[in-house]
Amino acid sequence: MSLSKVYSFPTNEKLSEALNEYVAHLSREAIARNGRFTIAFSGGSLPATVCRFLKDNKEVDFSKWYVFWADERCVTLDNEESNFKLLRKELLDHLVQTDRGIPPDQVMQINEDLVGDQNAAAEDYQEKLGSVFSGTTKIKYPELDCILLGIGPDGHTCSLFPNHPLLEEKTKWVAGLDDSPKEPPRRITLTYPVLNHASNVVFVANGAGKRKTIKKILDEKDVHLPASHVAPFKGTLSWFLDDAASKDLSETSPSPFKL
Ligand SMILES: O=C(O)[C@H](O)[C@@H](O)[C@H](O)[C@H](O)COP(=O)(O)O
């Protein structure tokens, strides 16, 4: 795994500007290499921070994007808790309204007919991943071009929570849970093998509320926090923070941020 890069920005606006630049760069590189860009979003505050400027970036060829979710709540797609609904609000609907929509069959949302059973929903989502990645050959794990991860105060990421059995899951690409300590309890989530096979993993965090957790992970290497075990085997790992979140860190990567 290449060493993680930690970038910190004085304001949330500067953080969003850098994320716009970085995701657009990853998209350009992937499309040039493979003719498509496969990206997974988390929920929470991440979509607003990542998409604030990205949604109007005319350099990005969204028609070549395949959008997944790093985790999703087992609720209907119009439910306020839905990460799909959240990303529609922060990105997808805006792209459609500006004639730059992502083809619907390249937006891989949870099957809402299955949200009553998190395990069935997870199996179905794994098949969705397989349909995009397996092609002709059976693969062990999908290799997404970019996975965008948030982090909770308890060090959870996607829906991998402290001391949860899913932290040990090594076979499934997508797993269901019904005991999330963060509401709502029923979710599906990518597992570590998929996170750690991604080409580029990007943690996004802002605000003083994350300060302690980020110091535990980046400075103290606290192995008890789920986010500490995101360590891409071959891919890159980057942290995009605001100064409020990074304040207690011993060091951050040289600024200004440049690709
Ligand atoms: O669906 C979810 O709940 C998220 O994917 C979750 O993992 C989130 O990223 C963290 O809880 C951070 O959330 P905030 O960025 O809102 O603090």
Side-chain angles (χ1 to χ4, degrees):
M1 179 196 97
S2 52
L3 284 179
S4 59
K5 287 215 168 126
V6 182
Y7 300 102
S8 189
F9 303 88
T11 64
N12 213 36
E13 182 174 6
K14 290 289 180 204
L15 173 59
S16 294
E17 282 172 3
L19 283 162
N20 168 34
E21 194 183 335
Y22 186 52
V23 173
H25 163 73
L26 294 179
S27 172
R28 204 170 26 253
E29 272 197 337
I31 291 169
R33 198 174 48 246
N34 303 323
R36 72 183 190 183
F37 180 55
T38 54
I39 182 170
F41 284 82
S42 292
S45 63
L46 182 141
T49 305
V50 170
C51 301
R52 179 172 181 177
F53 302 111
L54 181 67
K55 66 178 185 287
D56 289 313
N57 187 331
K58 301 293 189 292
E59 306 290 307
V60 175
D61 183 357
F62 287 103
S63 71
K64 300 284 192 318
W65 279 35
Y66 286 75
V67 173
F68 297 88
W69 276 262
D71 69 333
E72 177 58 291
R73 291 83 180 280
C74 288
V75 296
T76 52
L77 299 178
D78 59 353
N79 185 304
E80 284 313 307
E81 295 277 14
S82 163
N83 285 342
F84 168 74
K85 180 170 185 172
L86 177 60
L87 194 66
R88 275 193 61 181
K89 170 172 166 276
E90 299 300 342
L91 178 67
L92 302 178
D93 287 354
H94 182 74
L95 294 179
V96 170
Q97 286 148 21
T98 52
D99 292 331
R100 296 178 299 133
I102 299 171
D105 63 351
Q106 292 170 210
V107 177
M108 316 305 264
Q109 68 269 24
I110 194 172
N111 180 340
E112 74 175 337
D113 296 339
L114 300 174
V115 294
D117 175 347
Q118 68 279 358
N119 296 322
E123 281 163 28
D124 176 81
Y125 205 75
Q126 178 155 329
E127 279 165 30
K128 276 196 166 122
L129 268 169
S131 70
V132 172
F133 285 91
S134 287
T136 49
T137 53
K138 210 81 191 95
I139 52 166
K140 199 157 166 34
Y141 299 109
E143 295 185 8
L144 278 82
D145 294 311
C146 178
I147 298 181
L148 300 167
L149 294 174
I151 183 161
D154 61 356
H156 81 258
T157 190
C158 42
S159 287
L160 297 172
F161 292 95
N163 310 311
H164 196 284
L166 284 186
L167 302 183
E168 306 309 321
E169 178 57 57
K170 299 280 184 281
T171 313
K172 290 177 188 163
W173 303 352
V174 186
L177 63 156
D178 62 0
D179 55 357
S180 164
K182 178 181 179 184
E183 287 296 324
R186 262 172 341 134
R187 294 153 171 253
I188 62 173
T189 184
L190 296 183
T191 59
Y192 281 130
V194 175
L195 302 185
N196 290 330
H197 276 86
S199 302
N200 302 278
V201 178
V202 187
F203 275 105
V204 178
N206 46 25
K210 303 291 171 72
R211 188 177 295 169
K212 276 209 191 77
T213 308
I214 285 167
K215 180 164 182 63
K216 275 190 192 164
I217 292 168
L218 291 177
D219 277 359
E220 299 160 19
K221 312 288 181 213
D222 183 334
V223 295
H224 299 98
L225 302 183
S228 300
H229 297 278
V230 177
F233 300 113
K234 290 186 291 191
T236 69
L237 176 61
S238 310
W239 292 73
F240 280 70
L241 310 170
D242 67 1
D243 288 352
S246 70
K247 188 169 179 296
D248 295 345
L249 288 181
S250 51
E251 59 178 316
T252 55
S253 299
S255 53
F257 165 70
K258 57 181 184 303
L259 289 174

